[in-house]
Amino acid sequence: KGVESYRVYGYYVNNDGSMMDHNFTLAKVNGKYYWYDAPIACRHPSSASYWYKKGNNFNKRYHKYSAEQIKGIPTSKFAK
């Protein structure tokens, strides 16, 4: 059985506040939605686990996207 997941298009937010086009993943694990950022993890292999299975608070710091990208996904089910 597969994992419910979505590719989200948006922007990666750099430490200086600048942004670049970026794709990341939202996946449902044990009833909650988590963010996964494989492209960034691949660029920073020493900290790869830092970019996996993150809650919404972490995601808001590093990613921007339109509400249309997650339309229909209940935000109440997002991991914090």
Side-chain angles (χ1 to χ4, degrees):
K1 188 173 181 177
V3 173
E4 180 183 341
S5 63
Y6 304 89
R7 180 171 48 177
V8 178
Y9 301 98
Y11 301 94
Y12 176 79
V13 181
N14 294 302
N15 287 331
D16 66 2
S18 63
M19 295 186 283
M20 63 183 190
D21 291 339
H22 189 58
N23 298 306
F24 36 100
T25 304
L26 180 63
K28 189 174 184 181
V29 178
N30 296 325
K32 291 280 187 186
Y33 289 93
Y34 292 91
W35 295 96
Y36 293 81
D37 198 334
I40 295 297
C42 290
R43 292 173 96 186
H44 305 284
S46 64
S47 64
S49 63
Y50 182 74
W51 297 98
Y52 293 129
K53 199 175 181 185
K54 293 298 182 176
N56 213 34
N57 293 336
F58 177 89
N59 183 64
K60 288 178 183 178
R61 164 64 185 91
Y62 291 102
H63 300 106
K64 299 288 183 205
Y65 54 90
S66 72
E68 188 67 26
Q69 291 290 312
I70 58 168
K71 186 177 180 179
I73 301 171
T75 56
S76 64
K77 298 271 185 180
F78 280 30
K80 302 271 185 234

